């Protein structure tokens, strides 16, 4: 099909969709979709993150939202031509509603819309000061009592949180809080980020010394400032820390290090939070309108409860508190767990000459880093993708354009190819006794991450050590009890240990809400993360989007933000726009606020 024919195909269906919405005919609009078509909306139409599946759901959304968003304009992107492959014509589109502009992506087959992505990019009248609208920085000409940039910045730092309250308070100053803070800064939303560590990046610096990002550099850019072209593919933890510290300073974020949140409560009448914080020993009361928990995609560390934990004479620590192997040379270490952190820690211990045993209680998905980058990420996040004209924004939106309901169908053949490519590697690993899986439906790493946030390891070398027996392995067992100097397993094996590391993951993020606000609020919000896929550790019913992430929750003015660097970058845009709209008093009618089915 020619480019002109592709344009005509997309333009015609966009015109029909726009016309149906203009006259308020939701059924006609829905009938432009396949019977089981999908519309994924990121804030633009729903003021939510919501995927409508099938004509009935699409029609119901439009019935509820059209009057609040009209007029609607849908156009082909001026910068990209539609393409066609395998009977599917697809195109980037531009979108405009009454208060916002956005971008989208559409797939059409057999004359009907298969998938539609609509996303909000900017609020009219509240655009970011960038590009042609960037600030001057200098005021030319002569003026009395001129204030320098430094003086203005020092005034802001001394006033915000004291004589002037922030509109938004972000609890958690890792990459998630920093990315969101940068977005809000560009939207002129007064924001404070509080972090228990002293400096930005310390949450990385304090982890075990061998830690590196397992995701490649093209996947990990921060908003506004991409990593330079000579940045390593996999970033060492201390280098990540330095980048975050630099980024926080350059982006002029109001970052309170050495600050802890002691309590928070919300006044439904005033629409205001009262948050007690301790900043370097000083008790301060903050009264933000919006509160964001940006503690990563994970909650508090999961510490198992084993019989004899009070009897064990050695050292016990969660993986998040493990600093590295140096103190354990010549000792025996048992690591409970077999996912990313466990593999990293075991490999570093082995390299230092430590006698280390991994205890694998349930199966783990393993994927070699090179295979993952080549077959799973290469088309969107790689040097070859960049050379082909793929920008970070387009890569993020392309990935987002596939509804979660069918994403596994695209992932399964990729991981089947990986399984075949690395068959010899997997055979050796299984021969060592390691229990492997590729997810409940063989869809691999990304679906495991999205569904449960655990259960996998991106192999950068530790799996070879396991296969070779250099990292000792006990699999298919559980811990019965701890004795004074050993760990007793369910098969009767007793492992001597000077240190036990619990690489046992993290709980739901609403655990932080329980601690900082109240258990009642945590239960009101419910479980954070997961899709409701009814697969292992992701109980149904089906949600279609990540539970409670980056969108309104059942607790007014309480938000959750985080995930990996890619998600922090991409979804911080939508969360920042939701917060800005509320600050400006815009109408934000939320469609289909998520119901609570699970508390943790």
């Amino acid at each position: 099909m020619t480019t002109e024919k592709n344009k005509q195909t997309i333009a015609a269906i966009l015109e029909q969709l726009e016309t149906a919405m203009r006259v308020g005919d939701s059924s006609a609009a829905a009938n432009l979709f396949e019977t089981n078509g999908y519309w994924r909306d990121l804030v633009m139409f729903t003021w939510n993150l919501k995927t409508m599946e099938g004509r009935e759901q699409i029609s119901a959304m439009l019935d509820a939202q059209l009057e609040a968003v009209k007029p609607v304009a849908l156009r082909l992107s001026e910068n990209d031509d539609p393409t066609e492959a395998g009977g599917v014509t697809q195109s980037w589109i531009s979108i405009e509603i009454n208060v916002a502009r956005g971008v989208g992506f559409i797939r059409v087959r057999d004359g009907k819309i298969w998938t539609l992505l609509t996303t909000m990019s900017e609020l009219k009248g509240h655009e970011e000061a960038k590009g042609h609208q960037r600030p001057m920085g200098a005021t030319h000409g002569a003026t009395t009592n001129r204030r320098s940039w430094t003086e203005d910045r020092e005034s802001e730092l001394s006033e915000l949180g004291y004589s002037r309250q922030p509109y938004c308070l972000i609890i958690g100053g890792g990459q998630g809080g920093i990315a969101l803070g940068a977005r809000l800064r560009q939207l002129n939303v007064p924001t404070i980020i509080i972090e228990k560590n002293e400096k930005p990046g310390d949450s990385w610096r304090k982890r075990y010394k061998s830690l590196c990002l397992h995701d490649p550099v093209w996947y990990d850019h921060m908003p506004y400032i991409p990593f330079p072209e000579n940045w390593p593919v996999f970033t060492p933890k201390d280098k990540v820390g330095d980048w975050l510290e630099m980024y926080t300073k350059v982006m002029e974020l109001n970052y309170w290090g050495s600050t802890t949140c002691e309590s928070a409560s919300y006044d439904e009448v005033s629409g205001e939070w009262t948050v007690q914080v301790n900043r370097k020993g000083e008790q301060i009361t903050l009264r933000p309108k919006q509160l964001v928990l940006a503690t990563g995609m994970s909650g508090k560390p999961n510490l198992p409860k084993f019989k004899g934990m009070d009897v064990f004479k050695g050292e016990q620590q969660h993986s998040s508190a493990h600093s590295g192997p140096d103190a354990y040379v010549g000792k025996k270490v048992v690591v409970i767990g077999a996912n990313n952190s466990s593999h990293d820690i075991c490999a570093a211990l082995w390299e230092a000459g430590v006698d280390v045993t991994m205890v694998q209680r349930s199966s783990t998905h393993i994927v070699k880093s090179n295979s993952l980058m080549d077959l799973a990420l290469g088309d969107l996040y790689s040097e070859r993708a960049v050379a082909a004209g793929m920008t970070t924004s387009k890569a993020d939106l392309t990935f987002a354009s596939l509804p979660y309901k069918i994403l596994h169908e695209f992932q399964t053949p990729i991981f089947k190819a990986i399984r075949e490519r690395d068959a010899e590697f997997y055979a050796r690993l299984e021969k060592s006794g390691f229990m492997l899986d590729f997810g409940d439906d063989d869809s691999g790493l990304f679906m495991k991450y999205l569904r449960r946030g655990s259960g996998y390891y991106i192999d950068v070398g530790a799996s070879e050590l396991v296969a070779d027996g250099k990292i000792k392995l006990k699999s298919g067992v559980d811990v019965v009890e701890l004795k004074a100097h050993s760990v007793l397993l369910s098969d009767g094996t007793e492992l001597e240990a000077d240190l036990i590391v619990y690489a046992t993951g993290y709980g739901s993020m609403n655990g932080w809400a329980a601690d900082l606000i109240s258990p009642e609020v945590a239960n009101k919000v419910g479980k954070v993360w997961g899709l409701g896929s009814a697969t292992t550790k992701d109980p149904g019913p089906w949600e279609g989007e990540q539970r409670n992430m980056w969108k309104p929750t059942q607790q007014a003015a309480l938000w959750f933000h985080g995930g990996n660097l890619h998600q922090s970058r991409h979804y911080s845009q939508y969360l920042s726009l939701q917060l800005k709209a509320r600050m400006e008093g815009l109408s934000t009618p939320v469609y289909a606020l998520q119901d609570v089915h699970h508390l943790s």
Side-chain angles (χ1 to χ4, degrees), residues 184-460:
L184 292 171
R185 178 76 181 185
Q186 300 313 300
L187 290 171
N188 294 314
V189 177
T191 301
I192 293 174
I193 304 167
I194 67 170
E195 166 60 39
K196 65 181 180 180
N197 290 307
E198 179 184 0
K199 297 184 298 183
D202 278 354
S203 56
W204 287 92
R205 295 185 184 99
K206 291 184 176 182
R207 297 297 301 278
Y208 49 91
K209 69 178 185 180
S210 61
L211 177 64
C212 280
L213 292 180
H214 287 181
D215 298 323
V217 62
W218 308 278
Y219 189 76
D220 290 337
H221 295 301
M222 296 287 286
Y224 308 111
I225 308 177
F227 293 113
E229 292 185 359
N230 65 344
W231 200 260
V233 174
F234 300 107
T235 312
K237 70 175 183 78
D238 294 292
K239 197 171 181 68
V240 176
D242 289 347
W243 181 263
L244 292 176
E245 185 174 4
M246 177 280 298
Y247 185 94
T248 300
K249 186 175 181 65
V250 170
M251 296 302 292
E252 301 176 26
L253 306 187
N254 299 305
Y255 192 98
W256 288 12
S258 302
T259 304
T260 56
C261 175
E262 297 185 339
S263 67
S265 60
Y266 186 68
D267 187 323
E268 301 282 349
V269 176
S270 65
E272 185 174 88
W273 289 92
T274 298
V275 185
Q276 302 293 338
V277 306
N278 185 312
R279 186 185 189 191
K280 300 179 181 179
E282 180 185 6
Q283 295 292 324
I284 301 171
T285 301
L286 298 174
R287 301 189 185 279
K289 296 293 186 181
Q290 307 289 339
L291 184 65
V292 180
L293 299 186
T295 52
M297 58 152 284
S298 304
K300 299 163 62 178
N302 269 336
L303 270 177
K305 295 180 180 179
F306 295 135
K307 178 183 177 182
M309 290 178 79
D310 57 336
V311 173
F312 184 68
K313 301 294 186 184
E315 191 176 350
Q316 301 176 69
Q317 57 191 213
H318 189 265
S319 58
S320 59
H322 179 70
S323 60
D326 295 352
Y328 306 104
V329 176
K331 296 184 178 182
K332 294 181 181 294
V333 177
V334 173
V335 179
I336 311 297
N339 296 332
N340 262 336
S341 292
S342 173
H343 280 81
D344 283 349
I345 290 169
C346 286
L349 288 164
W350 179 85
E351 288 177 350
V354 178
D355 184 326
V356 58
T357 302
M358 177 188 295
V359 176
Q360 184 189 27
R361 299 182 294 168
S362 58
S363 63
T364 308
H365 172 53
I366 305 291
V367 58
K368 293 177 76 69
S369 176
N370 288 343
S371 296
L372 183 71
M373 289 205 302
D374 185 21
L375 298 179
L377 289 172
D379 289 342
L380 297 179
Y381 302 99
S382 69
E383 207 61 53
R384 82 165 187 261
V386 172
M390 180 61 71
T391 65
T392 302
S393 177
K394 280 187 178 179
D396 291 347
L397 289 166
T398 301
F399 192 77
S401 72
L402 289 171
Y404 289 132
K405 188 78 169 184
I406 58 174
L407 182 58
H408 69 282
E409 297 174 12
F410 291 81
Q411 295 295 306
T412 300
I414 293 171
F415 283 90
K416 182 176 184 290
I418 289 174
R419 204 170 190 166
E420 293 170 352
R421 172 174 170 166
D422 297 324
E424 182 183 349
F425 162 74
Y426 289 122
R428 288 192 297 109
L429 198 53
E430 286 189 303
K431 187 176 180 181
S432 75
F434 195 88
M435 300 185 297
L436 286 170
D437 73 62
F438 277 76
D440 288 15
D441 53 4
D442 290 333
S443 57
L445 177 77
F446 294 112
M447 296 312 302
K448 260 206 164 187
Y449 173 72
L450 293 167
R451 290 165 173 169
R452 54 182 281 193
S454 65
Y456 52 83
Y457 167 59
I458 301 173
D459 180 39
V460 292

Side-chain angles (χ1 to χ4, degrees), residues 27 41 70 99 108 112 162 217 222 301 304 322 385 403-404 431 458 484 511 552 584:
S27 294
D41 182 64
K70 290 196 304 185
V99 298
V108 175
K112 296 290 186 180
Y162 294 92
V217 62
M222 296 287 286
H322 179 70
Y404 289 132
K431 187 176 180 181
I458 301 173
E584 297 298 339

